[in-house]
Amino acid sequence: MAGVSDAQELTLILWAIEKVGVPEELRSADRVRALTDLLKTKFATERGNELYCITLACHWCHPNAPDSDLFGSLTTVGDVEALSYQWQEHRRDKNHNADRMLRRASDRFMRALEERGPNAPQHLVVFITSDEEFSEEIAELQSRNFKVEVLYHTTGDSTEPVITINAADRADDWLEFLKTHLQTPNLTLTYDPS
Protein backbone atom coordinates (compact mmCIF):
# COMPACT_ATOMS: atom_id res chain seq x y z
CA MET A 1 0.00 0.00 0.00
CA ALA A 2 2.03 2.80 -1.41
CA GLY A 3 2.41 6.01 0.52
CA VAL A 4 1.20 4.62 3.85
CA SER A 5 3.55 4.01 6.77
CA ASP A 6 3.68 0.47 8.16
CA ALA A 7 2.71 1.94 11.54
CA GLN A 8 -0.38 3.76 10.18
CA GLU A 9 -3.72 2.21 11.12
CA LEU A 10 -6.07 1.89 8.15
CA THR A 11 -9.86 1.73 7.80
CA LEU A 12 -11.74 -0.20 5.11
CA ILE A 13 -15.50 0.36 4.83
CA LEU A 14 -17.46 -2.38 3.02
CA TRP A 15 -20.96 -1.29 2.06
CA ALA A 16 -23.66 -3.68 0.79
CA ILE A 17 -25.53 -0.78 -0.75
CA GLU A 18 -28.29 -2.92 -2.25
CA LYS A 19 -29.35 -3.97 1.23
CA VAL A 20 -28.47 -0.82 3.16
CA GLY A 21 -29.08 2.09 0.86
CA VAL A 22 -28.83 5.84 0.96
CA PRO A 23 -31.98 7.33 2.51
CA GLU A 24 -34.20 9.30 0.14
CA GLU A 25 -33.49 12.56 2.00
CA LEU A 26 -29.73 12.20 1.40
CA ARG A 27 -29.73 11.44 -2.31
CA SER A 28 -28.59 14.81 -3.67
CA ALA A 29 -24.92 15.21 -4.67
CA ASP A 30 -24.07 17.49 -1.72
CA ARG A 31 -25.80 15.20 0.81
CA VAL A 32 -24.05 12.13 -0.65
CA ARG A 33 -20.77 13.96 -0.17
CA ALA A 34 -21.76 14.76 3.45
CA LEU A 35 -22.59 11.09 4.04
CA THR A 36 -19.26 9.81 2.69
CA ASP A 37 -17.41 12.54 4.59
CA LEU A 38 -19.21 11.40 7.76
CA LEU A 39 -18.09 7.79 7.21
CA LYS A 40 -14.51 8.93 6.64
CA THR A 41 -14.54 11.20 9.69
CA LYS A 42 -16.16 8.78 12.16
CA PHE A 43 -14.28 5.63 11.13
CA ALA A 44 -10.91 7.04 10.12
CA THR A 45 -10.03 10.68 10.85
CA GLU A 46 -11.38 10.88 14.44
CA ARG A 47 -9.55 7.65 15.29
CA GLY A 48 -6.24 8.72 13.76
CA ASN A 49 -6.64 6.16 10.96
CA GLU A 50 -6.07 6.61 7.25
CA LEU A 51 -9.09 5.72 5.11
CA TYR A 52 -8.06 2.94 2.75
CA CYS A 53 -11.32 2.88 0.81
CA ILE A 54 -15.12 2.85 0.95
CA THR A 55 -16.08 -0.16 -1.17
CA LEU A 56 -19.64 -0.49 -2.48
CA ALA A 57 -21.06 -3.75 -3.80
CA CYS A 58 -23.87 -3.28 -6.25
CA HIS A 59 -25.17 -4.73 -9.47
CA TRP A 60 -24.30 -2.97 -12.70
CA CYS A 61 -26.58 0.02 -13.06
CA HIS A 62 -27.68 1.02 -16.56
CA PRO A 63 -27.03 4.76 -17.20
CA ASN A 64 -30.78 5.31 -17.72
CA ALA A 65 -31.83 3.46 -14.54
CA PRO A 66 -33.53 5.52 -11.79
CA ASP A 67 -30.58 5.07 -9.40
CA SER A 68 -27.75 5.78 -11.87
CA ASP A 69 -27.42 9.40 -10.63
CA LEU A 70 -26.98 8.18 -7.04
CA PHE A 71 -24.28 5.70 -8.02
CA GLY A 72 -22.66 8.37 -10.16
CA SER A 73 -22.54 10.74 -7.19
CA LEU A 74 -21.12 8.05 -4.91
CA THR A 75 -18.45 6.83 -7.28
CA THR A 76 -17.14 10.28 -8.13
CA VAL A 77 -16.25 10.83 -4.47
CA GLY A 78 -12.50 10.31 -4.19
CA ASP A 79 -12.35 7.51 -1.63
CA VAL A 80 -15.17 5.35 -3.04
CA GLU A 81 -14.74 2.22 -5.15
CA ALA A 82 -17.72 0.41 -6.67
CA LEU A 83 -17.64 -3.32 -7.31
CA SER A 84 -20.43 -4.07 -9.73
CA TYR A 85 -21.73 -7.21 -11.39
CA GLN A 86 -24.53 -8.49 -13.55
CA TRP A 87 -26.78 -11.41 -12.74
CA GLN A 88 -29.07 -13.53 -14.85
CA GLU A 89 -31.43 -15.67 -12.85
CA HIS A 90 -33.28 -14.81 -9.69
CA ARG A 91 -32.87 -12.22 -6.96
CA ARG A 92 -30.94 -14.56 -4.63
CA ASP A 93 -28.04 -14.69 -7.12
CA LYS A 94 -27.65 -10.91 -6.74
CA ASN A 95 -27.44 -11.09 -2.96
CA HIS A 96 -24.80 -13.81 -2.98
CA ASN A 97 -22.74 -11.88 -5.52
CA ALA A 98 -22.70 -8.72 -3.38
CA ASP A 99 -21.70 -10.64 -0.26
CA ARG A 100 -19.01 -12.57 -2.13
CA MET A 101 -17.54 -9.37 -3.59
CA LEU A 102 -17.33 -7.71 -0.18
CA ARG A 103 -15.77 -10.84 1.34
CA ARG A 104 -13.10 -10.83 -1.37
CA ALA A 105 -12.38 -7.13 -0.77
CA SER A 106 -12.04 -7.85 2.95
CA ASP A 107 -9.72 -10.81 2.28
CA ARG A 108 -7.49 -8.75 -0.03
CA PHE A 109 -7.23 -5.99 2.59
CA MET A 110 -6.47 -8.49 5.38
CA ARG A 111 -3.83 -10.38 3.39
CA ALA A 112 -2.10 -7.22 2.14
CA LEU A 113 -1.79 -5.86 5.66
CA GLU A 114 -0.65 -9.17 7.12
CA GLU A 115 2.34 -9.05 4.79
CA ARG A 116 3.61 -6.12 6.86
CA GLY A 117 4.46 -8.52 9.68
CA PRO A 118 3.24 -9.57 13.12
CA ASN A 119 3.69 -6.17 14.77
CA ALA A 120 1.27 -4.34 12.49
CA PRO A 121 -1.19 -1.93 14.12
CA GLN A 122 -4.84 -2.84 14.63
CA HIS A 123 -6.70 -1.89 11.46
CA LEU A 124 -10.47 -1.35 11.24
CA VAL A 125 -12.98 -2.97 8.90
CA VAL A 126 -16.54 -1.60 8.90
CA PHE A 127 -19.39 -3.59 7.34
CA ILE A 128 -22.55 -1.72 6.34
CA THR A 129 -25.00 -4.59 5.93
CA SER A 130 -28.35 -6.05 6.85
CA ASP A 131 -27.66 -9.77 6.87
CA GLU A 132 -25.91 -12.55 8.71
CA GLU A 133 -23.51 -13.41 5.89
CA PHE A 134 -20.45 -11.72 7.40
CA SER A 135 -20.17 -13.32 10.85
CA GLU A 136 -17.46 -15.79 9.76
CA GLU A 137 -15.50 -13.06 7.99
CA ILE A 138 -15.75 -10.91 11.13
CA ALA A 139 -14.43 -13.75 13.30
CA GLU A 140 -11.50 -14.33 10.95
CA LEU A 141 -10.59 -10.64 10.88
CA GLN A 142 -10.73 -10.44 14.68
CA SER A 143 -8.54 -13.55 15.03
CA ARG A 144 -5.92 -11.70 12.98
CA ASN A 145 -5.99 -8.54 15.16
CA PHE A 146 -8.40 -6.46 13.06
CA LYS A 147 -11.13 -4.47 14.77
CA VAL A 148 -14.56 -4.92 13.15
CA GLU A 149 -17.61 -2.68 13.43
CA VAL A 150 -21.03 -2.96 11.81
CA LEU A 151 -23.64 -0.45 10.71
CA TYR A 152 -26.80 -2.48 10.15
CA HIS A 153 -30.28 -1.88 8.82
CA THR A 154 -33.37 -4.01 9.08
CA THR A 155 -36.15 -3.81 6.56
CA GLY A 156 -39.77 -4.39 7.48
CA ASP A 157 -39.68 -7.98 6.27
CA SER A 158 -36.42 -9.05 7.92
CA THR A 159 -35.01 -9.43 11.38
CA GLU A 160 -32.00 -7.76 12.90
CA PRO A 161 -28.76 -9.46 11.79
CA VAL A 162 -28.12 -10.67 15.34
CA ILE A 163 -25.21 -13.01 14.57
CA THR A 164 -23.33 -10.30 12.67
CA ILE A 165 -24.12 -7.69 15.35
CA ASN A 166 -22.94 -9.97 18.15
CA ALA A 167 -19.77 -10.94 16.29
CA ALA A 168 -18.65 -7.33 15.78
CA ASP A 169 -16.64 -5.28 18.24
CA ARG A 170 -19.33 -2.60 17.91
CA ALA A 171 -22.64 -2.36 16.04
CA ASP A 172 -24.92 0.60 15.39
CA ASP A 173 -28.19 1.03 13.54
CA TRP A 174 -27.57 2.69 10.13
CA LEU A 175 -30.47 5.14 10.23
CA GLU A 176 -29.85 6.14 13.86
CA PHE A 177 -26.17 6.68 13.05
CA LEU A 178 -27.07 8.97 10.14
CA LYS A 179 -29.81 10.81 12.03
CA THR A 180 -27.49 11.54 14.95
CA HIS A 181 -24.37 12.58 13.07
CA LEU A 182 -25.99 14.37 10.13
CA GLN A 183 -28.57 15.98 12.43
CA THR A 184 -31.38 14.83 10.15
CA PRO A 185 -34.18 13.48 12.35
CA ASN A 186 -36.43 12.18 9.57
CA LEU A 187 -34.82 9.66 7.27
CA THR A 188 -36.52 6.93 5.28
CA LEU A 189 -35.06 3.98 3.47
CA THR A 190 -37.71 2.85 1.03
CA TYR A 191 -35.96 2.20 -2.24
CA ASP A 192 -34.23 -0.87 -3.58
CA PRO A 193 -31.57 -0.03 -6.18
CA SER A 194 -32.04 -3.39 -7.87
Side-chain angles (χ1 to χ4, degrees):
M1 294 180 195
V4 177
S5 156
D6 284 352
Q8 177 66 56
E9 293 178 338
L10 297 175
T11 296
L12 172 65
I13 299 173
L14 300 169
W15 187 356
I17 196 165
E18 292 177 335
K19 298 175 182 180
V20 182
V22 176
E24 297 292 332
E25 297 83 359
L26 302 178
R27 297 186 74 197
S28 65
D30 61 325
R31 300 297 281 170
V32 165
R33 170 56 95 174
L35 188 153
T36 54
D37 286 348
L38 169 66
L39 293 173
K40 182 176 182 176
T41 299
K42 288 296 175 189
F43 295 108
T45 309
E46 286 183 0
R47 299 166 187 234
N49 289 14
E50 177 84 21
L51 179 66
Y52 176 70
C53 190
I54 298 172
T55 301
L56 311 174
C58 54
H59 74 280
W60 176 79
C61 190
H62 189 278
N64 296 329
D67 298 309
S68 63
D69 289 346
L70 171 66
F71 290 119
S73 294
L74 281 164
T75 56
T76 56
V77 175
D79 298 309
V80 178
E81 165 192 50
L83 303 174
S84 62
Y85 58 89
Q86 295 179 337
W87 77 95
Q88 299 297 325
E89 297 295 321
H90 49 78
R91 187 173 184 83
R92 186 127 172 95
D93 292 339
K94 171 186 71 126
N95 294 336
H96 286 300
N97 284 335
D99 295 344
R100 187 171 31 250
M101 292 171 84
L102 291 178
R103 266 193 224 91
R104 284 185 194 144
S106 172
D107 286 342
R108 282 192 306 272
F109 182 68
M110 179 173 51
R111 306 251 182 270
L113 292 174
E114 282 184 331
E115 291 175 5
R116 294 180 170 194
N119 297 322
Q122 188 175 43
H123 303 287
L124 173 63
V125 177
V126 179
F127 288 93
I128 304 175
T129 187
S130 67
D131 62 36
E132 302 289 3
E133 298 297 321
F134 297 108
S135 57
E136 288 180 18
E137 188 74 17
I138 290 170
E140 183 174 358
L141 285 161
Q142 289 168 326
S143 74
R144 296 171 187 244
N145 195 37
F146 286 77
K147 185 173 181 178
V148 182
E149 297 188 19
V150 172
L151 289 173
Y152 64 91
H153 176 67
T154 15
T155 60
D157 61 344
S158 65
T159 59
E160 217 171 61
V162 176
I163 296 170
T164 297
I165 290 170
N166 289 338
D169 294 302
R170 180 184 169 111
D172 292 295
D173 179 272
W174 174 240
L175 286 179
E176 292 305 316
F177 173 82
L178 295 176
K179 287 175 185 178
T180 300
H181 297 293
L182 293 176
Q183 299 175 350
T184 311
N186 299 315
L187 292 176
T188 52
L189 245 177
T190 57
Y191 85 107
D192 176 2
S194 60

